[in-house]
Amino acid sequence: MVPGMGSHSSHTFPEQLPVPTTPAGREGLAALLADPGRAVVALDFDGTIAPIVPDPDSARAHPEAVPVLARLAPLLRAVVIVTGRPAATAARYGGFTGAPGLEHLVVLGAYGAERWDAATGETRTPPPHPGVEAVRAELPGLLERTGAPRGVRTEDKGRALAVHTRRAADPQGAFELLRGPLDELAGRHGLAVEPGRLVLELRPPGMDKGMALTEFLRETGAASVLYGGDDLGDLAAYDAVDRLRGEGVPGVLLCSGSDEVTALAERADLVVDGPAGVVGLLGALADVLGA
């Protein structure tokens, strides 16, 4: 038997699947396998099913993501992508629009403020937060005054603004230089700053992946959930799964592992090697459930 595969504790899992390292994770995977029609697989986008790239506008889902999700989604209650990106942008970059087999896929964008449904192709978008418009106007001047180094770039997400330092000569130094000024700017306009992998995102408070995930699971009547993420913004979703497990809804915490962020790996039930590992796991699930 391959180490980490097969049976563990009171649950026996198919050989194709890795065994979660925690009792709660094993319980969650067992529940998903026992009743997939009431299970939800929830995934972050960037770093989880799409490799991290220097230019966020160039991000695209792993080439096997759509074929795998098209096999898996019909076997589940739903697949949901939970992302800080605008919902329609994530759907486009993911290659989800018009893809057959994805009728059970939903994108919750802007941390749940927006929703795109593959079944209809429609996007629901509430009015923007007034603080975002004010920050959009002030951000270029702030970056100039603080001496933001060459390579720092901004990304307009519509309902949020992100400042990326990955392309700077000293990415971590630029991140630290800008964190304080961006915190002050966000605070003046009623926004919060969400740090990530060499990115600082200014967005309205109260928007997080945990709230979005919890509401979606209650709406769909999910009996179990697997959540996969890679970055600090996914910790709120991890917290939500933990709370739901305490309420009797089994769940699995999946980490798309990287050298840049370790906080999720330390809490996860399963750690795989980046988006390729996530897609591999989803493919194994589709194989097992479709057999």
Side-chain angles (χ1 to χ4, degrees), residues 43-52 60-66 69 81 90 94 96 105 228 230 256 274-276 278-279 282:
L43 304 161
D44 169 48
F45 186 76
D46 293 282
T48 301
I49 61 167
I52 294 290
R60 297 295 183 270
H62 186 282
E64 293 301 314
V66 168
L69 290 173
I81 308 299
F96 306 141
L105 184 138
D230 77 304
S256 173
V278 172
V279 169
L282 299 178

Side-chain angles (χ1 to χ4, degrees), residues 5-246:
M5 307 288 276
S7 63
H8 201 302
S9 186
S10 60
H11 299 294
T12 301
F13 298 105
E15 289 292 320
Q16 301 98 309
L17 296 176
V19 176
T21 58
T22 65
R26 293 192 287 275
E27 191 71 29
L29 182 57
L32 186 156
L33 295 173
D35 192 2
R38 296 178 64 207
V40 167
V41 168
L43 304 161
D44 169 48
F45 186 76
D46 293 282
T48 301
I49 61 167
I52 294 290
V53 291
D55 179 3
D57 293 335
S58 300
R60 297 295 183 270
H62 186 282
E64 293 301 314
V66 168
V68 163
L69 290 173
R71 290 197 293 124
L72 181 61
L75 306 172
L76 303 171
R77 177 64 54 90
V79 171
V80 59
I81 308 299
V82 189
T83 176
R85 287 184 180 272
T89 299
R92 188 169 67 252
Y93 288 3
F96 306 141
T97 55
L102 295 185
E103 291 78 15
H104 289 195
L105 184 138
V106 171
V107 178
L108 299 179
Y111 298 91
E114 300 181 357
R115 175 171 175 152
W116 178 88
D117 283 87
T120 62
E122 295 177 354
T123 304
R124 296 208 302 263
T125 305
H129 187 287
V132 174
E133 187 63 37
V135 167
R136 183 179 288 117
E138 292 184 33
L139 187 56
L142 180 141
L143 293 176
E144 185 175 349
R145 289 193 305 275
T146 55
R150 185 174 181 177
V152 169
R153 66 178 300 273
T154 60
E155 178 188 6
D156 194 329
K157 296 186 173 184
R159 300 184 173 282
L161 295 152
V163 178
H164 295 266
T165 65
R166 186 173 296 276
R167 285 180 158 182
D170 177 6
Q172 190 62 41
F175 182 95
E176 298 301 336
L177 171 71
L178 295 172
R179 186 161 188 173
L182 291 176
D183 278 338
E184 190 275 333
L185 174 65
R188 281 195 287 110
H189 295 292
L191 302 182
V193 176
E194 178 74 46
R197 292 168 68 175
L198 300 176
V199 59
L200 293 156
E201 184 166 309
L202 293 78
R203 58 181 175 86
M207 294 166 52
D208 71 45
K209 293 181 179 181
M211 294 173 61
L213 178 62
T214 301
E215 289 178 9
F216 184 81
L217 295 176
R218 287 178 175 155
E219 171 198 326
T220 55
S224 65
V225 59
L226 180 151
Y227 182 84
D230 77 304
D231 204 352
L232 299 176
D234 296 303
L235 288 172
Y238 270 37
D239 291 341
V241 172
D242 276 338
R243 284 193 297 272
L244 288 164
R245 293 201 284 205

